[in-house]
Amino acid sequence: MTANLSHRPRDTADRPSVSGRVKLDELAAHLGLSKSTVSRALNGYSDISTVTRARVETAARKLGYRPLSHAQAIRTGQVRAIAMVLNSDEPDRHNPFLQDFLAGACEAASHLDWTMTISTATSERDTLKVLSRLFEERKADGFILPRTAVKDARIGLLRSLGVPHILYGRTGYGQPNTWEETSWFDIAGETAMRKAVLRLAGFGHTRIGYVGSDLKFNYSHLRRDGYAEGLHEAGLPLDPDLIRDGARTRDEGAAQAMALMQVEQPTTAIVFATDLAALGFYPVAQDLGLEIGRDVSIIGYDGIPESRYARPALTSFAVDSHMAGQRLATMLIRQIRGDDPAGLCELTEATLVEGGSDGPPTRTPQELARIIQTDNNHNRGDRS
């Protein structure tokens, strides 16, 4: 391969062109730096300034320099690879966000000349085994941990091994903070839930239900808190009968939403912690003879593509999964290169995408109860 040096720095313009496979000494000569400085910059040593590191990395990409991975691993102890282990036993393992997320993470790693490895496990216990194996076999220098739990054994394992890691989410809800030095990136789902309630209250809804996810996950508690904060801010009472948890799939969302519609005074609006659960309500509404967006308003969270194809389209707080993958990979690599984990924490917000699934209430809870009761009686008559 022949490198194009037409954009060489002016102070090195008189240097000979670099031909063949670009070597470290040729890259150093091109930059006017010592081999040691260039090597340390490429390997992320903290004694190299950010400006010099960026200059060396830019030149390396432009000239097509690629270190010999085996030699580099021996010299630095790093294989320039990050990894993520997915649990194939999860009921929502095919969540549509995953493809965009992985694409973003892989692109960010590749941009920095790192590799992103994806592995699968068959259970939570197996996940710990796979994480340990990948580290022991030197397949990865650090890990992205998705779907953070309130009590997350993966964090304890990697901390005990001294392995860099970053959380996609937060952890330790309601517990003393024992993870001060842990890096994380998260979307403020609690803020989205609060805004969803305020949006519905602004339309005139006063009976607003909530369908949450599995409470073993940290985000489930945060989003439920956001729902409660929204009610408080809107001056509405918190009714435990209007809160359902444990919905991670369409079927579970359908079951929990049906339970909300069968209370004595049904909700005229429902906030769902995930789009998948919200989409489960569509066939339920049809079975009950209700029109979504008119008889009952609903709002979801995630912004998955399917929500745009629903009829009516689901109003949802959309997450930029591609960007999340990019940020997590970039922040993890920075940590591996020596940045303080405690300083690598970011919280951003989801974006409201309006559909036709929410609006002002057209029926009172009492009217909804009569419609649902009539429908139930009709169905019982059909079965008798």
Side-chain angles (χ1 to χ4, degrees), residues 77-280:
Q78 295 179 358
V79 292
R80 295 179 70 89
I82 57 176
M84 186 166 74
V85 180
L86 301 175
N87 186 351
S88 61
D89 192 44
E90 296 287 358
D92 55 349
R93 60 190 176 278
H94 299 305
N95 195 310
F97 89 90
L98 190 59
Q99 183 175 350
D100 283 343
F101 175 82
L102 293 178
C106 291
E107 287 174 15
S110 179
H111 178 73
L112 296 171
D113 293 328
W114 283 58
T115 299
M116 176 78 184
T117 299
I118 311 299
S119 296
T120 58
T122 57
S123 66
E124 292 183 9
R125 177 177 294 183
D126 189 41
T127 297
L128 300 180
K129 293 180 180 179
V130 174
L131 288 169
S132 298
R133 177 176 57 78
L134 290 173
F135 171 67
E136 292 167 358
E137 295 178 358
R138 300 182 68 186
K139 298 289 181 60
D141 300 310
F143 297 91
I144 296 173
L145 304 182
R147 299 182 183 277
T148 49
V150 175
K151 297 180 180 179
D152 203 311
R154 298 172 301 175
I155 302 172
L157 170 67
L158 295 179
R159 284 176 64 89
S160 69
L161 294 174
V163 181
H165 56 280
I166 187 167
L167 317 182
Y168 186 13
R170 286 158 281 174
T171 188
Y173 179 88
Q175 302 176 38
N177 186 5
T178 58
W179 313 110
E180 296 92 342
E181 299 179 358
T182 299
S183 302
W184 54 266
F185 175 90
D186 201 5
I187 315 295
E190 62 272 32
T191 300
M193 298 295 100
R194 180 180 64 84
K195 289 181 176 179
V197 171
L198 293 175
R199 175 180 170 88
L200 293 169
F203 284 139
H205 294 276
T206 58
R207 294 277 290 175
I208 303 172
Y210 176 75
V211 174
S213 187
D214 190 331
L215 291 177
K216 75 177 182 180
F217 295 112
N218 207 77
Y219 74 81
S220 299
H221 296 270
L222 295 174
R223 293 180 197 178
R224 190 173 60 176
D225 284 352
Y227 162 77
E229 290 170 9
L231 290 176
H232 178 75
E233 192 170 336
L236 298 174
L238 177 64
D239 184 348
D241 289 339
L242 301 186
I243 299 176
R244 295 289 188 275
D245 291 302
R248 297 180 60 188
T249 65
R250 292 174 188 251
D251 288 345
E252 291 168 345
Q256 298 300 343
M258 175 65 86
L260 288 178
M261 302 310 299
Q262 291 180 331
V263 298
E264 185 176 349
Q265 293 190 54
T267 59
T268 61
I270 306 174
V271 175
F272 289 84
T274 67
D275 283 353
L276 281 178
L279 292 174

Side-chain angles (χ1 to χ4, degrees), residues 10 50 85 225 258 300 322 326 346 367 378:
R10 186 172 300 172
T50 302
V85 180
D225 284 352
M258 175 65 86
H322 189 273
Q326 289 179 321
E346 289 186 15
E367 289 172 336
H378 176 73

Side-chain angles (χ1 to χ4, degrees), residues 49-69:
S49 72
T50 302
V51 173
T52 299
R53 184 189 301 174
R55 181 184 169 210
V56 171
E57 290 176 345
T58 299
R61 286 194 297 271
K62 187 177 295 183
L63 300 182
Y65 171 79
R66 294 291 184 275
L68 293 173
S69 57

Side-chain angles (χ1 to χ4, degrees), residues 205 293-296 360-364 367:
H205 294 276
R294 180 174 173 81
D295 297 322
V296 182
T362 61
R363 299 186 185 278
T364 65
E367 289 172 336

